[in-house]
Amino acid sequence: MDKVLGYIKENEQRYLDELIEWLKIPSISSDSSRNDDTRRAGQWIADRIGKAGFENTRLIETGGHPVVYGDWLHAEGKPTILVYGHYDVQPTDPIEKWTVEPFNPTIKDGKLYGRGTSDDKGQLYTHICALEAILKQTGKLPVNIKFFIEGEEEAGSEHST
């Protein structure tokens, strides 16, 4: 476990920089003028899951925004864990209530502020980073993992089932 924690510490700045890059994408699924951004956010996280060492990573088309899928299925005889999340975010209205620009993530007093930092991009990204650290340091995971990340949870998940 020390090697895994060391890897996380060594990559802490990279993880933060990547998260900020992803948070800057205004993936507001309920705003059709943001469809390209929403798709870009989905492709961004699909690419990142692949870089973390997961396989079969791809966008799956739906009638709306695509779903991201990826897996690592090499823990024979072990359970399979589903990591579910979403890459879309809520609209920013009312914009005047924001103390930071929603898509310009800002660190204040050691905390990261911006649209999607906790719902759900930031939370989802921590799972990817932790699993990457385990996989990169041990060469394996203790269980099988499947990712299912949708792009319209904030708009009702009409096409993700």
Side-chain angles (χ1 to χ4, degrees):
M1 190 59 140
D2 288 342
K3 287 173 63 176
V4 172
L5 294 173
Y7 182 90
I8 291 169
K9 188 68 177 161
E10 289 170 17
N11 288 279
E12 183 177 6
Q13 188 61 52
R14 175 177 65 90
Y15 288 156
L16 179 60
D17 292 344
E18 289 173 351
L19 175 58
I20 288 170
E21 177 185 337
W22 192 33
L23 292 170
K24 286 181 177 182
I25 303 172
S27 51
I28 304 171
S29 61
S30 62
D31 180 349
S32 61
S33 73
R34 295 291 189 182
N35 283 353
D36 289 345
D37 291 321
T38 302
R39 182 176 195 84
R40 186 165 51 103
Q43 187 63 62
W44 191 97
I45 200 62
D47 292 345
R48 183 60 184 86
I49 291 168
K51 289 176 189 171
F54 290 86
E55 303 165 331
N56 305 308
T57 305
R58 63 190 181 275
L59 294 180
I60 300 172
E61 297 301 330
T62 69
H65 299 292
V67 168
V68 175
Y69 177 85
D71 62 36
W72 189 90
L73 304 174
H74 301 286
E76 192 172 324
K78 300 293 182 177
T80 299
I81 305 295
L82 176 67
V83 177
Y84 165 82
H86 59 92
Y87 60 86
D88 64 323
V89 298
Q90 283 282 324
T92 57
D93 295 331
I95 194 71
E96 64 275 2
K97 299 275 186 175
W98 284 84
T99 59
V100 299
E101 291 182 40
F103 297 108
N104 186 19
T106 304
I107 298 173
K108 287 183 181 181
D109 300 321
K111 296 177 183 167
L112 182 60
Y113 294 89
R115 179 55 91 205
T117 56
S118 63
D119 181 16
D120 183 46
K121 290 178 179 180
Q123 182 266 342
L124 176 61
Y125 195 65
T126 61
H127 296 304
I128 295 164
C129 294
L131 291 167
E132 174 192 71
I134 295 167
L135 193 54
K136 298 286 185 184
Q137 291 306 297
T138 67
K140 61 183 180 175
L141 296 171
V143 294
N144 298 296
I145 299 286
K146 290 184 178 183
F147 284 98
F148 182 89
I149 305 167
E150 66 168 299
E152 54 188 35
E153 190 273 345
E154 298 291 7
S157 303
E158 182 179 342
H159 301 99
S160 300
T161 56

